[in-house]
Amino acid sequence: MQRIWLAAFTALLTLIGAPLRATTLEQAMADPDWIGPPVERPYWSVDGRSVHYWLKRAGSPVRDLHRVGLADGSDVVVDPAAMATSDGADAVPDRSGSRAAFVRNGDVFIRELASGRLTQVTRSPQVESSPQFSADGRALHYRSGDDWFVYDIAAAVSTPAAELRLQKDPQAKQPDALEAQQLRYFATLRQLKADREARRQHVETFTNGDPTRAPLPFYLGDAVQVQGSSLSPDGRWLLVVTSPKGYDAGKQGKLQRFVTESGYEEQEDERTRVGRNDPAPQSLLLLDLRGHSQRALAMDTLPGIHDDPLKAVREENARHAAQQGSASDAAAAPASTRAATRTGTRVKAKAEPAEPSQRAVRIVSRGDDGGGGGIVWSEDGSQLAIQIRAIDNKDRWIVSVDLAKATLRSEHRLTDPAWINWNFNDFGWARDNRTLWYLSEESGYSQLYTRPIGGQARALTHGTFEVSSPLLSPDGRWFYLRANVEAPYSYDLYRVALDGGPLERITRFKAINDFALSPDGKRLAVSHSSAYVPAQLAVVEIADGAVRELTDTRSAPFKAIDWIQPQIVAVPSSHTKAPIYAKLYRPRDFDATRKHPIVLFVHGAGYLQNVHLGYPSYFREQMFHNLLAEEGFVVLDMDYRASEGYGRDWRTAIYRNMGHPELEDLIDGVHWLEQHAAGDPDRVGLYGGSYGGFMTLMALFRAPEVFKAGAALRPVTDWVQYNHEYTSNILNTPQIDPLAYARSSPLEFAEGLKGSLLIAHGMIDDNVLFEDSVRLYQKLIELHKDDFELAGYPLERHGFVHADSWLDEYKRVHRLLRTRLQ
């Protein structure tokens, strides 16, 4: 049916012969298949002769793999028969460049580059991952779950690299008093025990010396669980990340489902709330697979590991609690200061001096390294680097390991009184096996650095811009990276030499999403987009910058619409030197002599960038902004403080104070619209989802004189209810820092509501829980507020997926804005 409609629509456009100037709300909120799917996950074939990408089928959740032959430009869907001979993504070459390994459909394959011969290494129901060639090129290592395997290429045999047993070593048992007495009394018993030990040592000697036998087990004890592991390229070392067994992550609530296939109410576990318990601390074990020994890697020498970065915060909260006096006195205090005792553990009236103790840490997650990621070996296996993060997230260390001594040496410490960015943690080894490279925000912006082991760090990039996704070229000479050098909202690809030098611009798309370097290092497969063009694929010649476009997946109806191009503006800030970048949508027939109603859109996530030149993740909202502009609104979409793309200070402006700097920025936006876009300050509304919903509430509750109406979609209403990983970075925990939670809770300011409020929320949202909106709804009832509404969506989680729900939600948003502001 959908295809028939699209065909009819296209035919009508042909007859009309003119572009449409707007879309309807029904079309904007329809299944996005009508737009055309974006290109996803591009990668090169092992021989570099073709580029692959994934594309969603119309009317189906299935993704097809496409292969584009660069010689003839053919673009074909890889069918099941052809899939058996296709390459997978992220192929890993050996050091000689004669073969490459990759994972496809959870199995491991090796491609010989000269002959093209493909060898399937595994065929199992388990999912294998992390292929890497041994340093001598004779074997391939790969992981299945927590277990590593070594595939002998010549013999075509796989063996476990190590067997890990989570139990005590039976041979390590010490005899008790009675057993010792028996051995002292009876020579025959002593001889039997000696014979057993001789046989055990004989088996161990032959097992270690005979490569055809499975290795002896390592006993890690019964008090830990494995969180991840990494095998060295020379096959000698295995680094194991562990955490305490049975660690209590804190109480979990139950999420209720009302509309179910069974017809009965069903429940599922919710996430743990912030502060209910810290994440499980992690430890490191280094296993010598040749010598069959294991040693713990102590972290007590890390610089700052014994510091208490939250001491001042504890003392501030303790002073506040003492000033509030008894619980009855606190109950009579203003709402904005009452939270010192309401969040669980009561803050002591007097700060206790903290004894120096070792802070708990975790290994920084790095994609495919399992739960214990952040582990990088040099190509020859002689060097190991690990990225470690304090659980309080005030410190990040990159350490090297003295493998012989089983000790850590700090190579780089990044410390932040607010929190370490969860992005910009890439690191690795140069091809000399002696030089580390890493990203760091130490200058205030993410930049690329190198450091020889034990030597001095060197910045390869400098400036007030952010670099990300560094990729070392096959010859080891160049780093390719994504950066917003030209402007905070403009992203392109650049390169810089490993030995230093100027930052060279490679592309001029101004909106790079992703990229992959060809196996020979001469071309780039680039995913790029623009305001109304979803991600498309192009190949760029590095030598001369020549661009060859490979795809345009947009539908004819979508391309036929004459969309309003958002104008990027720099709104002066009344609180910072830097401007607040924003997207402005104005009516085509904009008349500066009359006042226009104002709508602010507030993006979600907090740390997210929506003011850029690429295709937005909020593409439905962008179409909605077109509709509002056609109806006479001026719409402003701001990258308020906390947003991504503007450096460390912009990101951390909200530390212990969520909802306040951002509101100042939104109010600056309203004033700017009044002065420069004929905005009417008496008709101002706003809307947003998730963090944007939170900010909608803070605006309506704390600045009701400015904002007259707002739609808070899936909003956080009290950060005490949100998850630990995100919230504790910004507000610490409710037990340590109740003041920060009181300052940042919309519930604490709900009394201020004077305008119109729509709350919309998915009822099975497992990110921001539906409970958040229900609690606020009850609060507004008790406050005797008049103009508020709650819309629940029984089959939606945090990100809506059903077109019916999208349409219903935005019909309500649209009706609110038109009724209250026009």
Side-chain angles (χ1 to χ4, degrees):
M1 185 65 187
Q2 186 180 44
R3 292 180 178 178
I4 295 174
W5 183 91
L6 287 174
F9 191 86
T10 304
L12 178 61
L13 289 176
T14 302
L15 290 173
I16 295 175
L20 296 183
R21 292 187 57 182
T23 187
T24 64
L25 188 61
E26 288 75 11
Q27 189 62 69
M29 300 301 148
D31 188 310
D33 280 354
W34 82 274
I35 297 171
V39 167
E40 301 175 15
R41 295 173 288 160
Y43 66 92
W44 289 90
S45 62
V46 169
D47 61 13
R49 297 175 183 173
S50 60
V51 178
H52 297 71
Y53 65 91
W54 294 88
L55 200 67
K56 181 184 177 298
R57 290 183 189 174
S60 169
V62 173
R63 265 76 173 165
D64 289 313
L65 179 64
H66 287 243
R67 180 173 60 231
V68 181
L70 297 184
D72 58 6
S74 60
D75 187 331
V76 298
V77 174
V78 180
D79 60 23
M83 185 69 77
T85 60
S86 291
D87 296 337
D90 302 317
V92 179
D94 67 359
R95 298 181 74 187
S96 69
S98 61
R99 55 170 67 101
F102 54 84
V103 173
R104 174 161 46 79
N105 299 325
D107 286 311
V108 180
F109 297 81
I110 296 176
R111 173 81 72 184
E112 303 290 340
L113 296 183
S115 64
R117 184 168 64 91
L118 186 66
T119 300
Q120 184 165 1
V121 176
T122 67
R123 184 179 297 168
S124 70
Q126 290 76 32
V127 175
E128 281 83 33
S129 62
S130 308
Q132 63 179 32
F133 285 97
S134 62
D136 60 13
R138 298 177 181 177
L140 179 73
H141 306 154
Y142 62 90
R143 196 179 71 224
S144 179
D146 291 325
D147 299 319
W148 282 88
F149 292 85
V150 178
Y151 175 75
D152 186 313
I153 296 174
V157 174
S158 285
T159 58
E163 182 184 355
L164 307 181
R165 294 187 184 178
L166 300 179
Q167 63 189 67
K168 295 180 180 178
D169 186 351
Q171 302 298 329
K173 178 185 175 183
Q174 297 297 318
D176 58 22
L178 181 59
E179 182 178 346
Q181 185 183 63
Q182 291 293 94
L183 291 172
R184 182 166 58 86
Y185 282 159
F186 303 109
T188 304
L189 291 179
R190 292 197 299 273
Q191 184 60 47
L192 289 172
K193 182 176 182 179
D195 290 344
R196 288 197 307 273
E197 178 62 20
R199 285 193 295 269
R200 187 191 68 80
Q201 291 184 1
H202 175 76
V203 170
E204 183 173 327
T205 299
F206 268 80
T207 299
N208 286 338
D210 184 354
T212 66
R213 302 184 66 170
L216 292 169
F218 284 89
Y219 295 93
L220 306 186
D222 57 6
V224 301
Q225 56 188 359
V226 175
Q227 294 293 339
S229 60
S230 184
L231 181 65
S232 65
D234 61 6
R236 176 173 179 178
W237 307 96
L238 184 69
L239 185 72
V240 181
V241 182
T242 66
S243 64
K245 185 177 181 180
Y247 185 81
D248 182 10
K251 182 179 179 180
Q252 289 182 311
K254 296 291 183 181
L255 189 151
Q256 190 85 359
R257 301 177 63 114
F258 293 99
V259 181
T260 64
E261 291 185 20
S262 68
Y264 293 89
E265 312 91 86
E266 298 173 2
Q267 291 184 331
E268 61 184 72
D269 287 337
E270 294 174 341
R271 51 162 172 73
T272 303
R273 269 72 159 177
V274 60
R276 296 307 98 187
N277 210 342
D278 286 343
Q282 293 180 341
S283 301
L284 295 168
L285 283 174
L286 182 64
L287 276 53
D288 184 343
L289 304 187
R290 294 178 189 169
H292 200 265
S293 62
Q294 63 185 68
R295 288 178 287 181
L297 296 179
M299 302 187 197
D300 56 352
T301 60
L302 295 179
I305 192 67
H306 300 290
D307 293 349
D308 182 6
L310 291 170
K311 180 180 179 181
V313 172
R314 290 189 179 91
E315 291 175 345
E316 179 189 353
N317 278 274
R319 287 193 301 270
H320 176 79
Q323 291 168 2
Q324 292 302 305
S326 66
S328 59
D329 292 337
S336 61
T337 62
R338 284 203 299 265
T341 59
R342 77 173 173 81
T343 55
T345 303
R346 187 184 175 110
V347 177
K348 296 181 180 179
K350 184 178 181 181
E352 298 179 356
E355 293 293 330
S357 61
Q358 183 171 314
R359 292 149 69 194
V361 302
R362 291 176 65 83
I363 310 307
V364 175
S365 178
R366 194 172 183 267
D368 197 38
D369 284 344
I375 302 165
V376 180
W377 294 91
S378 61
E379 282 187 348
D380 63 0
S382 65
Q383 302 290 342
L384 169 60
I386 309 169
Q387 199 169 146
I388 301 170
R389 188 190 294 262
I391 282 182
D392 59 41
N393 206 18
K394 310 295 185 186
D395 274 290
R396 183 201 78 181
W397 298 271
I398 297 176
V399 301
S400 61
V401 181
D402 186 322
L403 298 171
K405 297 179 181 178
T407 57
L408 303 181
R409 178 170 61 190
S410 178
E411 300 293 344
H412 179 257
R413 178 192 179 191
L414 178 63
T415 187
D416 196 310
W419 75 95
I420 302 295
N421 198 339
W422 38 74
N423 291 348
F424 310 131
N425 291 304
D426 303 63
F427 75 116
W429 292 96
R431 297 288 153 78
D432 64 359
N433 299 303
R434 294 291 303 171
T435 303
L436 275 167
W437 61 263
Y438 57 89
L439 293 181
S440 174
E441 267 191 326
E442 62 198 73
S443 71
Y445 292 82
S446 171
Q447 301 294 329
L448 180 62
Y449 298 81
T450 59
R451 173 177 172 143
I453 291 298
Q456 295 296 314
R458 177 183 188 182
L460 295 187
T461 60
H462 315 261
T464 55
F465 54 86
E466 295 185 336
V467 305
S468 62
S469 307
L471 180 65
L472 196 58
S473 62
D475 60 12
R477 295 176 54 210
W478 298 94
F479 280 105
Y480 290 84
L481 45 86
R482 180 176 181 263
N484 56 350
V485 177
E486 186 177 53
Y489 47 80
S490 179
Y491 287 87
D492 266 299
L493 292 181
Y494 297 79
R495 74 174 183 177
V496 63
L498 174 67
D499 296 331
L503 189 62
E504 299 179 16
R505 188 172 183 175
I506 302 299
T507 68
R508 297 188 179 275
F509 291 108
K510 300 180 183 291
I512 293 295
N513 304 310
D514 195 9
F515 69 97
L517 192 59
S518 64
D520 62 6
K522 296 180 179 180
R523 291 175 291 183
L524 288 158
V526 177
S527 168
H528 67 96
S529 63
S530 60
Y532 296 99
V533 179
Q536 303 299 327
L537 182 60
V539 169
V540 177
E541 300 291 337
I542 294 174
D544 59 9
V547 176
R548 178 180 177 184
E549 296 286 356
L550 300 183
T551 64
D552 184 354
T553 60
R554 293 173 296 165
S555 69
F558 184 76
K559 287 194 288 186
I561 297 176
D562 182 19
W563 300 103
I564 296 173
Q565 292 297 322
Q567 177 187 356
I568 294 183
V569 297
V571 176
S573 169
S574 58
H575 296 84
T576 71
K577 293 181 180 179
I580 312 155
Y581 285 96
K583 287 181 181 178
L584 173 65
Y585 299 81
R586 295 192 298 186
R588 298 176 197 275
D589 54 354
F590 176 72
D591 182 357
T593 64
R594 67 180 184 87
K595 294 293 186 180
H596 298 262
I598 293 171
V599 172
L600 297 189
F601 171 66
V602 191
H603 69 67
Y607 192 63
L608 179 146
Q609 186 173 16
N610 201 47
V611 180
H612 54 75
L613 296 172
Y615 192 70
S617 56
Y618 295 100
F619 59 90
R620 291 183 181 88
E621 289 79 354
Q622 181 171 252
M623 291 187 284
F624 183 50
H625 298 161
N626 272 257
L627 181 63
L628 291 176
E630 294 286 358
E631 293 174 345
F633 289 85
V634 288
V635 182
L636 197 65
D637 172 1
M638 306 185 76
D639 271 350
Y640 50 84
R641 274 174 287 173
S643 297
E644 182 180 3
Y646 305 92
R648 181 263 172 199
D649 290 347
W650 198 262
R651 170 176 63 84
T652 61
I654 61 170
Y655 178 56
R656 304 186 64 218
N657 199 33
M658 295 170 78
H660 295 259
E662 312 95 296
L663 180 54
E664 294 169 349
D665 294 345
L666 297 180
I667 293 173
D668 281 341
V670 172
H671 293 160
W672 186 89
L673 288 172
E674 179 185 2
Q675 297 168 11
H676 299 279
D680 187 346
D682 295 324
R683 293 184 292 165
V684 181
L686 78 167
Y687 82 101
S690 193
Y691 200 101
F694 156 71
M695 280 309 306
T696 297
L697 297 176
M698 293 295 270
L700 289 174
F701 296 170
R702 294 189 59 247
E705 73 283 358
V706 178
F707 300 96
K708 304 302 190 293
L713 316 178
R714 54 196 183 278
V716 174
T717 67
D718 186 2
W719 290 103
V720 172
Q721 298 294 321
Y722 200 54
N723 68 28
H724 185 93
E725 288 72 16
Y726 179 92
T727 319
S728 65
N729 282 288
I730 306 172
L731 299 179
N732 303 311
T733 65
Q735 291 75 18
I736 291 174
D737 201 357
L739 283 173
Y741 282 80
R743 285 193 290 260
S744 306
S745 171
L747 279 176
E748 293 288 336
F749 302 97
E751 174 66 46
L753 178 64
K754 294 180 181 178
S756 302
L757 170 62
L758 165 66
I759 308 168
H761 211 135
M763 295 174 66
I764 56 173
D765 190 337
D766 51 3
N767 183 356
V768 178
L769 306 176
F770 183 58
E771 176 186 345
D772 265 64
S773 289
V774 174
R775 294 173 77 237
L776 176 61
Y777 194 71
Q778 176 63 26
K779 182 69 172 178
L780 295 174
I781 291 172
E782 294 179 4
L783 290 171
H784 299 174
K785 296 299 177 180
D786 298 318
D787 195 359
F788 63 96
E789 171 191 358
L790 172 61
Y793 296 86
L795 290 177
E796 298 293 353
R797 295 196 183 271
H798 195 58
F800 284 19
V801 295
H802 303 104
D804 292 339
S805 300
W806 275 105
L807 178 58
D808 181 87
E809 181 180 51
Y810 273 80
K811 284 169 63 177
R812 295 173 187 271
V813 176
H814 191 215
R815 183 165 56 246
L816 172 75
L817 298 175
R818 296 200 64 177
T819 302
R820 300 296 189 269
L821 304 180
Q822 280 193 322

